[in-house]
C-alpha cells in the first residue's frame, strides 16, 4: 500500500522531520534514518556533530546535506481512502479510537504531518510568507476526507439498520 520513490535533498539545511513531512513519508524521522545506508548515515552525522542521537527528538533535528538521495515510502491514495473510511467508523463506536486505527494501519504519522504541514503552509500562504500549497498534500487531505465522509455515511446507515432490525445482538 506504499509506493517507494528515491528523492534527492535539494534545500541545504532541511531537517529530517521537514523532509519526511514534505515527502509525505510513512516513516518517522528515526525510521527514515534507520533505512539509510551506512555511508549516508555517516554523512548526516558528519553534518550534525552536536546532535545527541540518544535524545528523543534528535532525529527530527538532523540537518540533511544537499544532494543526498533518500528512498521514501509514500502512501497510495486508494489506501488513504480506505484508512479514512475505517478510521471514521472506529470513531462512531464507543471505546475505539480512530487515531489508534490509523496507528495500526501505519498512517497516523502521515495524516498528522500532512494536516500539520498543510495548515501551516495554508496560514503562511494567506499571510503571504510561504510558498504555494503542495498539491500532493492537498490531494492526500482531500482523499482522506472523502474516505471519512463515505465511511461515515455508510457505517452510520449500517449501524442504524442493525439497531432497528437486530437491536439485542447489536448492543450485546
Amino acid at each position: 500500500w506504499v509506493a517507494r520513490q528515491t528523492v534527492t535533498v535539494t534545500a541545504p539545511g532541511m531537517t529530517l522531520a521537514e523532509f519526511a513531512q514534505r515527502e509525505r513519508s510513512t516513516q518517522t524521522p528515526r525510521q527514515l534514518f534507520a533505512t539509510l545506508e551506512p555511508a549516508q548515515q555517516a554523512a548526516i552525522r558528519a553534518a550534525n556533530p552536536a546532535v545527541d542521537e540518544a535524545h528523543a527528538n534528535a532525529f527530527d533535528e538532523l540537518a540533511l546535506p544537499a544532494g543526498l538521495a533518500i528512498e521514501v515510502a509514500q502512501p497510495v491514495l486508494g489506501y488513504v481512502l480506505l484508512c479514512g473510511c475505517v478510521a471514521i467508523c472506529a470513531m462512531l463506536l464507543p471505546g475505539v479510537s480512530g487515531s489508534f486505527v490509523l496507528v495500526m494501519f501505519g498512517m497516523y504519522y502521515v495524516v498528522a504531518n500532512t494536516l500539520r504541514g498543510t495548515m501551516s503552509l495554508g496560514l503562511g500562504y494567506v499571510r503571504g510568507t510561504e510558498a504555494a500549497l503542495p498539491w500532493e498534500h492537498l490531494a492526500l487531505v482531500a482523499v482522506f476526507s472523502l474516505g471519512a465522509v463515505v465511511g461515515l455515511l455508510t457505517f452510520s446507515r449500517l449501524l442504524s439498520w442493525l439497531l432497528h432490525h437486530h437491536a439485542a445482538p447489536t448492543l450485546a
Side-chain angles (χ1 to χ4, degrees):
W1 293 98
V2 295
R4 297 208 171 269
Q5 176 181 3
T6 301
V7 180
T8 303
V9 178
T10 55
M14 177 184 287
T15 66
L16 196 54
E18 292 168 343
F19 178 81
Q21 181 177 344
R22 188 190 76 187
E23 297 301 329
R24 298 176 296 122
S25 174
T26 59
Q27 300 163 308
T28 64
R30 180 182 296 269
Q31 292 168 336
L32 200 55
F33 184 80
T35 63
L36 297 175
E37 295 178 15
Q40 292 173 315
Q41 291 180 356
I44 294 173
R45 284 188 179 112
N48 300 279
V51 175
D52 178 21
E53 291 180 16
H55 185 262
N57 295 329
F59 292 92
D60 293 352
E61 302 164 0
L62 288 176
L64 300 173
L68 185 69
I70 300 176
E71 186 177 279
V72 180
Q74 298 173 331
V76 176
L77 290 180
Y79 186 62
V80 173
L81 182 85
L82 175 70
C83 289
C85 286
V86 175
I88 199 71
C89 292
M91 290 180 204
L92 289 175
L93 298 173
V96 183
S97 167
S99 298
F100 180 69
V101 169
L102 289 175
V103 168
M104 287 187 339
F105 285 150
M107 288 296 293
Y108 180 81
Y109 184 77
V110 176
V111 172
N113 266 345
T114 301
L115 288 174
R116 184 182 310 117
T118 303
M119 289 186 339
S120 66
L121 284 174
L123 292 175
Y125 184 70
V126 169
R127 284 183 246 143
T129 58
E130 292 282 339
L133 292 169
W135 290 109
E136 297 87 13
H137 285 215
L138 292 176
L140 192 133
V141 170
V143 169
F144 185 81
S145 300
L146 177 67
V149 168
V150 168
L152 180 66
L153 294 175
T154 305
F155 191 69
S156 62
R157 288 183 186 210
L158 172 68
L159 199 56
S160 176
W161 184 86
L162 285 172
L163 286 171
H164 285 293
H165 292 89
H166 306 285
T170 302
L171 294 173

